[in-house]
Amino acid sequence: MLQQSCHSVLSVLKLCNDSPAPIPLPPFAQNQTSWLTALNYAVRWNAALPWIRRVQLTPWHSTLAEKTRLLLDERFNRDRVQMAVLDTDYVKALRGFSQVGVSPVTVGGMDWGRRVYSNRMDRPMERVEFLVRDADWFSAVRGLGKAGFRISREGTGWNDLGNVRLYRFGLIPGLWSRVNAQENTLSVEDSLLFSMITRGGFWARNPLWLTDLAAFLKKTDQRVDWKLILILCEKLKRVGACWSVLEFLDRNWGVSIPDHVRGLFVGQVGRVRKLWLHQNMSVAKWFPAEGKPRSILRADGKWQTARATLSL
């Protein structure tokens, strides 16, 4: 039952919000304990909102035990309120930026939710994220202060101000020259790379993030300049890491990676990484039913023990 509960959650995330067909009735439908297990698994990956929304849309939702429906509805409403709070903070932050003349780029879950998903409830998030130029960093922090945000945590190249995370990021060569100024969004190629890098050590171990990539690639595949991505990956020494995720998406997440794209990357990937991928490509190993993965793939392609909280 444990594996079935977890599979129910992952199968919804793999849909990438593009399947009109309702999810099938799970074999544990009348087992309250299994529903609680599935909900805890979804909450662990911050994926309760899209999973419960899909369950609510099914014809069999009304046949569930009242206690189960109340459990799911309570969690859904709680997460939906949190989304509304983040939407409000997003507008407040933009007003703060406008007061100091800073034009930020929206990144992270807020960007994915608006650009990729047809329903905002399919992309929950923990915070609102913005990217600013190095020269605008202090002005941006000041603007957020005017909007009522205060620094709660600082890192290398980023600050948390309540529900807002601010990045100053110039690592990707030529990133700012490719920004869509009209929509204040990154280019297709930079969106993919930026997400890999800013997820730190955890970018390859979150099903929600993989769903972002899958939905994004399905919508933009014909517009992706893969040669540019490879060139940037080589400069950043991220070729192996990028190829690992593309392979996993192709094998397990319903994304067909074209042969010409495989050809670009596979020749740049070492024999040891290929061997590891062959042995560790199962969904169960990446997203275990109990606990966090014992090791995580960092953005630089190296592995380390998982200890910190996943960034979403």
Side-chain angles (χ1 to χ4, degrees), residues 27 62 69 83 88 125 128 145-146 155 172 184 189 198 206 238 281 290 303:
S62 59
R69 295 200 308 273
M83 289 282 285
T88 300
M125 65 195 110
V128 180
K146 288 178 176 290
I172 298 178
N184 282 338
E189 296 76 19
T198 56
N206 191 293
R238 302 291 198 271
M281 265 297 173
E290 295 182 291
W303 289 87

Side-chain angles (χ1 to χ4, degrees), residues 176-189:
W176 290 104
S177 66
R178 295 186 293 272
V179 165
N180 184 331
Q182 185 175 3
E183 299 181 2
N184 282 338
T185 57
L186 297 178
S187 69
V188 171
E189 296 76 19

Side-chain angles (χ1 to χ4, degrees), residues 35 138 307:
W35 279 107
F138 293 106
R307 292 194 180 122

Side-chain angles (χ1 to χ4, degrees), residues 49 56 73-87 121 124:
L49 202 58
Q56 291 175 336
D73 292 348
E74 187 277 333
R75 185 71 207 193
F76 181 84
N77 291 332
R78 180 194 301 181
D79 287 358
R80 187 170 58 178
V81 168
Q82 176 62 15
M83 289 282 285
V85 170
L86 292 174
D87 284 341
M121 296 299 104

